[in-house]
Amino acid sequence: MLRGWLSNKKADLNASTHSLNALSEPQDLEASMRAATHIMNDDLDSAEAGLAQGNSSFHKLGKGMVTFLRATLGFEPEIMREASERLAEAEATSSNDHRRAQRDSHAYHSSIYPAGSEFALCHAESQLMSAVVGVLNESLTESIRGFYKLRKAYVTLDGILEAESRYMRTKNGWSVGATRNASMESLTSNTSARSMKVMPGGFGDESAKSTISQITPSFPSPANAVTNRDIDGRERVDHADALDDEDVDDFYDADEAHDQSRIPTTYLGHIGIDSAEEEMKTTSLDDVNTPNFHDLGSPKSPSPRTNHHVLDHDPDSDVFSNPIDIFVHSGSNLCFGLLLLMISMIPPAFSKLLFIIGFRGDRERGIRMLWQASKFQNINGAMAGLIILGYYNGLIGFCDILPDAKSSDEELEAVEGYPRYRLEALLTEMRKRYPKSHLWLLEEARMQASNRRLEVAVELLSRDTKSPLKQVEALDMFEKSLNAMYLHRHALCADSFVKCVSLNNWSHALYYYIAGSSHVELYRAAKASSDTKATAAHAEKATELLRIVPKHAGKKKFMARQLPFDVFVTRKILKWEARTKEWNVPFIEAIGISPIEEMIYFWNGYKRMTAPHLEESLKALKWSEDLNQNPHWEKETLDERAVLTVLRAAILRNLGKHEEAKALLKKEVISHDRSLFKGHLRDDWTCPTAHYEMGVNLWMQRSRDGSERDQELVKECSSWISKTAAWEAYDLDARIGLKVTTAQDTLKKLGKS
């Protein structure tokens, strides 16, 4: 299509070296997107070589996307720095090109989007990816900068989508006047980023109004009857100036002292607004005062759009006759969909971050937009497909209270629950497009695990062929390690996690902890079978691996805080060391409830197990109460006994024994005062998690027929979930909070939360 569209017009391509024109743009776009797509086939060399042949905004965006993907797959600091640099360059170039596109008569003019929207998208897409990299950065300053970039990307993307909505209104026969009034009413009343108080980077009252008018100029009707004036009659300000103005938000990094003291042994919990505000006291922007976080107001929801105002046509529609329109549509759906999805999943522990971001997410709308983007055979479609599969097989597979699954016929457009058939079709299509990529093989393995076919998943990830991308190879190994853990293949689990140490540097403490915990299980099995030699060997290996965990903890940070799992595993080691001295026993004998089963719970491995696997987990937990194997059981504290109860109840729930699970939780955990679970080195996560488990059991006891009994169960379920959501800080509260947020979203749709 593109080749025919460009035929016989090549003489005009070099008409001006300083201007953009309707022919060179799609040529640059097609070349850069084709090159960038090689990364989705694990071909980094071809991607880099192709992108090096051009210097357009599209080429620079492609370079940023390639490095961003590598950065988010592997979290290596050097790759993240490279991604930040490339994305910053892409932002600057696209801003300049946007200015020229609005003033250059040779630039491409779409029938859907305002002039220069392709460069506005490049700018927003660069900002969004840069924001993600910033949030993943260890610096709180960089994280806060990332949140501001999310706000700015939101404004631009919402404006592009409003242009689509305006186009659909006109296409469906609405009058131009009604279209403009409806658009401006939506923008001024529903888009929170524009109604917030003065914010850095172009988000004050005046700059927000300016941005609204700049990114959403009047849609040109077939008769070009709409003028380029605001609703109050004033001339619109050039949108390019808004992009430039927004780019003057350079932060001065605060001096972040790196405390060399040992990692905290208790989880610091919720990321509150106070810590962000404290950081902002030493973080400034050029000519802009630091915001008062308490004056921001409540985060708002994104502007709603009815279905008949949504551009959701297939790629072969006549609407998408130009490659630039395809790029803008697929890219804006990818970015805005990802943005809405990410924000919607912020757990209660991080909820105050919504005040910095300034708007709420919309999970259903976000995932629908990602599905729309995935229809297109370009880098945007591939990225959307990867996010969709990761969301359903990763995040949704991690949660428990989800909308009920649809039948295969109803599922064609389903986004709620786990749309199995639709996901299988998407994965088949992506593997057909990118047959050499291990990314899609990894997603197939995750899908198999989500469907309780763990053995198949391990087999897929054990093939001899390796990805040329180290980041993908590391993900393959990590996924294989988890699946081996769920299958109780302890030797394979230990070996695989040790290999992760050499492939990825994200959390060596966690890798060593799980590897050591696997040897704990092997030690206990060898001891039970009276294999003296194996008992001694596994005791030595477990002790070695577990005792080096604190040395590796605390080296990685998220928003200037220790990684929650690093804090958790360090506290566990210190707890066992204290018991070693108190009980006067070897370290291996001071370890309590199966640490592997505890890890399985936190990764929701029980949801992926078949009945025989679950029975094996129950057997592993029985070791603790067997006085012949564990003579120290009588010494165990309430919090340690609660660990056993919560794990056992979770297994019973997955076996469908809900009444037994609830009775156990009430008797052994919930009946006790919550303060008894708190204290130095104690497992304080058990009490709030027991409340969450009560809610899950009630949810799963529904008959799904809409009966009065079902309504009562949902009401009681909502009560337990609300209690969990309101809990104070505890170990891994963000992890449990992700499940709680998903549960609240599901219950809200039923009017129960």
Side-chain angles (χ1 to χ4, degrees):
M1 179 184 70
L2 181 61
R3 187 178 294 108
W5 191 66
L6 294 171
S7 62
N8 300 322
K9 298 183 179 180
K10 294 182 179 178
D12 295 331
L13 289 178
N14 298 315
S16 172
T17 58
H18 301 287
S19 68
L20 300 161
N21 62 67
L23 297 180
S24 62
E25 280 187 55
Q27 187 179 58
D28 285 339
L29 173 63
E30 196 245 4
S32 60
M33 293 299 102
R34 183 176 60 244
T37 304
H38 284 297
I39 193 66
M40 307 308 296
N41 213 21
D42 291 6
D43 190 352
L44 176 62
D45 292 339
S46 294
E48 292 285 4
L51 291 168
Q53 294 179 10
N55 205 38
S56 69
S57 288
F58 306 121
H59 284 85
K60 291 183 178 180
L61 175 65
K63 291 177 183 178
M65 292 181 77
V66 166
T67 317
F68 168 78
L69 184 61
R70 294 174 61 207
T72 52
L73 290 177
F75 301 108
E76 294 100 335
E78 62 277 8
I79 303 298
M80 294 180 76
R81 281 193 294 271
E82 183 183 355
S84 294
E85 292 169 0
R86 284 186 166 190
L87 291 168
E89 186 177 0
E91 280 188 59
T93 303
S94 57
S95 179
N96 292 333
D97 281 348
H98 184 272
R99 180 190 298 110
R100 288 199 293 269
Q102 290 212 320
R103 297 169 179 170
D104 193 339
S105 61
H106 294 285
Y108 170 69
H109 289 271
S110 169
S111 61
I112 305 174
Y113 306 103
S117 289
E118 63 272 33
F119 300 114
L121 173 63
C122 288
H123 191 264
E125 198 161 349
S126 299
Q127 286 183 321
L128 177 57
M129 290 186 287
S130 182
V132 172
V133 173
V135 171
L136 292 175
N137 195 289
E138 297 182 8
S139 162
L140 181 58
T141 304
E142 289 295 326
S143 298
I144 294 175
R145 179 188 294 172
F147 292 128
Y148 282 120
K149 283 183 179 289
L150 288 181
R151 292 174 63 104
K152 293 186 289 185
Y154 175 92
V155 172
T156 303
L157 293 166
D158 195 44
I160 292 174
L161 291 166
E162 182 60 31
E164 287 189 355
S165 182
R166 200 160 47 242
Y167 169 79
M168 291 302 293
R169 291 189 185 104
T170 304
K171 186 178 177 67
N172 292 335
W174 282 42
S175 68
V176 174
T179 300
R180 295 194 72 243
N181 291 335
S183 299
M184 290 307 299
E185 180 181 350
S186 172
L187 286 166
T188 55
S189 64
N190 291 321
T191 304
S192 63
R194 298 146 194 175
S195 62
M196 306 297 283
K197 296 192 176 183
V198 176
M199 294 296 297
F203 280 88
D205 288 339
E206 291 305 316
S207 59
K209 292 174 184 176
S210 175
T211 304
I212 295 169
S213 64
Q214 292 150 6
I215 190 59
T216 57
S218 303
F219 168 72
S221 67
N224 295 319
V226 181
T227 63
N228 196 34
R229 291 178 178 270
D230 280 326
I231 199 166
D232 59 1
R234 292 178 298 177
E235 289 289 344
R236 292 183 183 276
V237 183
D238 189 350
H239 178 215
D241 296 333
L243 292 181
D244 288 342
D245 290 343
E246 287 179 351
D247 284 337
V248 298
D249 67 337
D250 295 333
F251 279 73
Y252 294 108
D253 285 348
D255 182 19
E256 296 185 15
H258 295 285
D259 187 3
Q260 298 300 321
S261 61
R262 73 181 183 182
I263 187 169
T265 58
T266 56
Y267 183 45
L268 298 179
H270 299 57
I271 300 293
I273 214 162
D274 295 336
S275 62
E277 183 176 18
E278 200 57 40
E279 175 68 15
M280 288 303 295
K281 290 178 181 178
T282 53
T283 306
S284 62
L285 296 107
D286 292 338
D287 303 321
V288 182
N289 293 326
T290 299
N292 185 336
F293 283 83
H294 299 289
D295 290 340
L296 290 179
S298 299
K300 305 297 192 300
S301 299
S303 307
R305 292 185 175 89
T306 56
N307 288 339
H308 57 279
H309 294 156
V310 174
L311 181 55
D312 57 1
H313 294 54
D314 290 335
D316 57 358
S317 168
D318 291 341
V319 172
F320 302 118
S321 59
N322 188 284
I324 293 180
D325 288 347
I326 292 174
F327 168 71
V328 175
H329 177 73
S330 61
S332 57
N333 274 270
L334 163 67
C335 295
F336 204 64
L338 175 59
L339 193 54
L340 294 179
L341 183 63
M342 285 194 308
I343 303 307
S344 73
M345 300 192 72
I346 291 179
F350 293 85
S351 60
K352 292 298 179 67
L353 294 178
L354 290 171
F355 286 87
I356 302 176
I357 298 167
F359 59 90
R360 295 189 183 278
D362 185 332
R363 185 175 305 193
E364 183 175 345
R365 182 182 171 196
I367 200 68
R368 285 190 187 280
M369 295 181 79
L370 288 167
W371 276 110
Q372 173 66 11
S374 71
K375 297 177 182 178
F376 295 84
Q377 295 194 29
N378 56 19
I379 185 67
N380 293 328
M383 291 280 281
L386 194 62
I387 294 167
I388 289 169
L389 291 167
Y391 167 73
Y392 283 109
N393 293 322
L395 294 174
I396 287 299
F398 175 73
C399 300
D400 304 295
I401 298 178
L402 301 165
D404 298 327
K406 306 289 185 182
S407 68
S408 57
D409 291 334
E410 296 174 311
E411 201 188 77
L412 294 177
E413 297 300 325
V415 298
E416 297 180 339
Y418 185 86
R420 176 178 172 182
Y421 299 101
R422 193 177 186 189
L423 290 170
E424 288 176 350
L426 175 64
L427 180 59
T428 300
E429 173 63 23
M430 290 300 174
R431 291 208 68 182
K432 188 186 302 181
R433 290 187 202 173
Y434 312 105
K436 298 179 182 179
S437 176
H438 275 248
L439 279 171
W440 311 107
L441 183 66
L442 172 64
E443 292 303 333
E444 182 175 348
R446 286 175 173 168
M447 186 177 291
Q448 294 289 352
S450 295
N451 292 315
R452 301 177 185 263
R453 293 194 285 266
L454 290 167
E455 292 85 355
V456 177
V458 170
E459 183 180 350
L460 284 170
L461 295 169
S462 299
R463 295 179 178 178
D464 292 335
T465 56
K466 303 294 181 185
S467 171
L469 291 178
K470 179 184 176 183
Q471 296 84 1
V472 177
E473 184 184 355
L475 282 176
D476 285 350
M477 185 60 66
F478 183 74
E479 195 69 23
K480 178 181 175 180
S481 304
L482 289 176
N483 289 331
M485 180 172 73
Y486 307 150
L487 286 169
H488 303 97
R489 295 183 184 177
H490 301 303
L492 177 62
C493 177
D495 292 344
S496 299
F497 269 112
V498 169
K499 289 178 182 177
C500 285
V501 173
S502 62
L503 292 172
N504 177 275
N505 62 0
W506 177 244
S507 181
H508 287 181
L510 176 64
Y511 303 157
Y512 281 126
Y513 180 84
I514 298 180
S517 298
S518 297
H519 280 285
V520 170
E521 296 301 316
L522 292 169
Y523 159 78
R524 292 175 177 179
K527 186 178 179 182
S529 63
S530 302
D531 187 338
T532 307
K533 184 177 180 180
T535 299
H538 290 303
E540 181 181 359
K541 193 64 178 177
T543 302
E544 174 194 342
L545 290 170
L546 291 171
R547 276 184 162 161
I548 64 174
V549 166
K551 297 177 183 178
H552 293 274
K555 293 185 178 181
K556 287 289 179 181
K557 295 182 180 180
F558 176 72
M559 292 184 64
R561 291 198 173 198
Q562 309 289 357
L563 297 179
F565 260 122
D566 279 12
V567 177
F568 178 84
V569 299
T570 301
R571 178 189 59 78
K572 296 292 283 192
I573 301 299
L574 293 177
K575 181 178 184 178
W576 298 336
E577 292 284 13
R579 285 151 58 113
T580 298
K581 295 177 181 178
E582 180 184 350
W583 296 352
N584 193 27
V585 296
F587 178 82
I588 191 72
E589 292 293 331
I591 298 172
I593 311 303
S594 170
I596 275 291
E597 294 300 326
E598 199 173 32
M599 285 291 104
I600 289 174
Y601 178 79
F602 283 124
W603 291 95
N604 211 4
Y606 295 139
K607 186 177 179 180
R608 293 165 170 79
M609 292 183 183
T610 60
H613 300 144
L614 292 167
E615 293 291 348
E616 194 167 347
S617 285
L618 284 176
K619 182 180 177 181
L621 292 177
K622 287 180 181 178
W623 177 91
S624 298
E625 299 170 309
D626 185 344
L627 295 179
N628 293 323
Q629 298 294 327
N630 179 27
H632 310 293
W633 175 246
E634 299 298 334
K635 304 176 186 177
E636 291 292 6
T637 55
L638 176 63
D639 69 300
E640 190 74 17
R641 291 171 181 264
V643 173
L644 176 63
T645 297
V646 171
L647 298 181
R648 182 172 283 160
I651 297 170
L652 292 172
R653 167 172 62 80
N654 280 278
L655 286 169
K657 300 178 180 181
H658 303 294
E659 289 300 326
E660 187 177 348
K662 291 192 298 180
L664 190 63
L665 290 167
K666 288 179 180 178
K667 178 183 177 182
E668 301 295 340
V669 183
I670 297 172
S671 62
H672 298 282
D673 188 287
R674 67 169 66 181
S675 64
L676 298 176
F677 297 91
K678 301 176 183 178
H680 182 57
L681 301 181
R682 291 187 180 180
D683 284 272
D684 62 355
W685 62 271
T686 52
C687 197
T689 304
H691 283 68
Y692 169 77
E693 282 291 325
M694 286 294 295
V696 179
N697 275 289
L698 290 162
W699 177 259
M700 292 185 170
Q701 284 186 289
R702 297 171 304 125
S703 57
R704 298 170 177 78
D705 59 1
S707 63
E708 185 175 339
R709 175 180 177 274
D710 269 16
Q711 294 178 28
E712 288 299 319
L713 287 170
V714 171
K715 183 178 179 180
E716 190 178 351
C717 165
S718 180
S719 175
W720 288 104
I721 296 302
S722 295
K723 290 177 183 177
T724 311
W727 215 275
E728 61 270 22
Y730 56 90
D731 261 4
L732 299 179
D733 55 1
R735 194 164 190 82
I736 301 300
L738 180 60
K739 297 183 177 187
V740 171
T741 300
T742 303
Q744 288 179 311
D745 190 62
T746 300
L747 293 166
K748 185 178 181 181
K749 288 183 172 65
L750 299 176
K752 299 296 182 181
S753 181

